Amino acid sequence: MAQARPRKTVFGLLPWPERQAIAEALRTETVGGLVLLAAAVVALVWANSPWSGAYEAVRDFHFGIPALGLDLSVGHWTADGLLAVFFLVAGIELKRELVVGELRTPATAALPVVAALCGMAVPAVLYVVTAKAGGGSLDGWAVPMATDIAFALAVLAVISTHLPSALRAFLLTLAVVDDLGAILIIAIFFTSDLNFWALGGALVGLVLFYALQRLRVRGWWWYVPLGIAVWALMYNSGVHATVAGVAMGLILRTTRDENEKASPGARVAHLIHPLSAGVAVPLFALFAAGVTVSGDALRHVFTDPEPLAVLIGLVVGKILGIFLGTYLAARFTRAELNPDLAWADVLGLATLAGIGFTVALLIGELAFPDPAQAEHVKAAVLIGSLTAAAFAALLLRRRNRIYKQLYEAENRDDDGDGIPDCYQTETGARPGSRR
């Protein structure tokens, strides 16, 4: 009689190589998230100070090369230029997940993908329902769909929680899938007046980028000028320039050859991830989060249909979508929750994913060209993200004693060989294996 297949454990012990790679990425994102929080606070204080005119003057100052169609304001340079670096890193992380991470097989990809898709669909539906009920515009349906991993990790750092590595990895995978969804939405729904010559040139540049990777050509002097050219052509094509970043990230090789210490994707991510998390995203936040906070502005958030829909989408939609998506995926794949955790932990994680911020602000600017309406939507993103952060802090802090025990157990290294003992016990998983 055939034995029944063992049930997969949700949020069980990660393979050691995967845990190392994720830990490095999360360390950078956490530091970057704290810088991001500081930049957002500076933006809010500056925009609401007696020197608010200086803030607007700096944000709206134009410079560039008009002959190449690149005469942009500082705000647009940060949104179209610096965020391309952020999406380049997102593309590399997505490629790594698809090749060697949680998304490489249907069995391991099912849970985070279903949870992420539900976490995008439910906020969008709630936005449409709320906006339509109030007679508002449906253009902002995509604003509450994305999770800001840096902001979320910064909240974890601030509240000093010892969230287990499996939960942190799940949050990272959710954010990676969210980023892919966001870039597809930007490319498909926020593209107008296409310049096919420029788009064709960008595609030729991407094909050349791919060929250089296939031929194992090394040297930044090949890739940096080509990357800048692809970005400039993509911007002039009418497709949002950040699409160039994620496309190049997906092209970079994430598996190493025998004579390589690290793959090109890993080397590039190691070099530019700190730049993305510590400079690019905070500078974007500095010039995107500077909204006027007054009684009248806050009133618009709760009375105008569009900002209210964004707020409900972030705070309610994300929680419902991710929690229900995770529960249903586990139920229908016959997976069982890690016995050391409870569904309350998944609820806390889903609440934390309601922090939208960076990508939500970007899509808000694209969806609402009217500055006054965009200001109200940005205020809703800020309030929604802060509300989700506060709820998540309450939920996760209540369980921190259990998290601390799990954290200490999975990091215990009595023999001092650099590999936690849980990977080396007779009944535990060896490094590189999967439980």
Side-chain angles (χ1 to χ4, degrees), residues 170-190:
F170 182 70
L171 185 63
L172 177 62
T173 306
L174 275 178
V176 167
V177 178
D178 269 2
D179 287 341
L180 175 63
I183 204 67
L184 289 173
I185 288 167
I186 290 170
I188 296 170
F189 296 100
F190 295 103

Side-chain angles (χ1 to χ4, degrees), residues 120 123-125 127-128 137-145 185 189-190 310 363 367-368:
M120 289 187 284
V125 170
Y127 176 94
V128 170
S137 169
L138 303 185
D139 293 342
W141 60 272
V143 176
M145 291 175 65
I185 288 167
F189 296 100
F190 295 103
V310 168
I363 296 178
F368 298 100

Side-chain angles (χ1 to χ4, degrees), residues 79-214:
D80 293 87
L82 291 181
L83 278 195
V85 178
F86 165 77
F87 277 109
L88 172 61
V89 174
I92 295 171
E93 290 177 346
L94 176 62
K95 179 75 171 287
R96 193 197 71 81
E97 289 287 337
L98 289 169
V99 175
V100 298
E102 287 290 300
L103 303 181
R104 73 181 185 276
T105 62
T108 57
L111 185 71
V113 169
V114 170
L117 291 177
C118 291
M120 289 187 284
V122 175
V125 170
L126 284 182
Y127 176 94
V128 170
V129 171
T130 305
K132 194 168 184 179
S137 169
L138 303 185
D139 293 342
W141 60 272
V143 176
M145 291 175 65
T147 294
D148 192 315
I149 182 66
F151 203 138
L153 291 172
V155 170
L156 290 178
V158 169
I159 65 176
S160 300
T161 185
H162 297 78
L163 205 65
S165 58
L167 290 177
R168 291 175 185 264
F170 182 70
L171 185 63
L172 177 62
T173 306
L174 275 178
V176 167
V177 178
D178 269 2
D179 287 341
L180 175 63
I183 204 67
L184 289 173
I185 288 167
I186 290 170
I188 296 170
F189 296 100
F190 295 103
T191 295
S192 60
D193 301 324
L194 278 176
N195 181 329
F196 288 100
W197 288 106
L199 181 59
L203 294 176
V204 169
L206 290 173
V207 170
L208 180 56
F209 197 98
Y210 174 78
L212 291 173
Q213 282 289 287
R214 291 286 294 177

Side-chain angles (χ1 to χ4, degrees), residues 366-409:
L366 298 174
F368 298 100
D370 177 53
Q373 196 172 28
E375 286 281 297
H376 300 151
V377 168
K378 285 182 180 181
V381 170
L382 292 173
I383 294 172
S385 296
L386 290 174
T387 303
F391 284 162
L394 289 173
L395 290 171
L396 296 175
R397 283 295 298 176
R398 289 180 66 249
R399 300 271 295 169
N400 196 43
R401 182 178 58 83
I402 295 172
Y403 298 153
K404 189 175 182 179
Q405 293 173 355
L406 294 174
Y407 180 85
E408 290 173 349

Side-chain angles (χ1 to χ4, degrees), residues 217-243:
V217 175
R218 298 185 63 173
W220 65 266
W221 50 88
W222 291 100
Y223 293 99
V224 172
L226 179 59
I228 293 173
V230 169
W231 172 84
L233 287 165
M234 192 71 75
Y235 175 82
N236 282 286
S237 73
V239 177
H240 200 271
T242 52
V243 175

Side-chain angles (χ1 to χ4, degrees), residues 61-74 76-77 235-236:
F61 177 76
H62 276 247
F63 68 97
I65 308 173
L68 298 179
L70 296 175
D71 184 22
L72 310 178
S73 68
V74 171
H76 278 120
W77 274 113
Y235 175 82
N236 282 286

Side-chain angles (χ1 to χ4, degrees), residues 248-271:
M248 287 184 281
L250 288 170
I251 290 172
L252 280 168
R253 197 162 41 85
T254 53
T255 54
R256 63 184 181 88
D257 294 335
E258 290 183 3
N259 61 340
E260 291 180 320
K261 291 183 178 180
S263 68
R267 291 197 301 271
V268 173
H270 180 74
L271 286 172

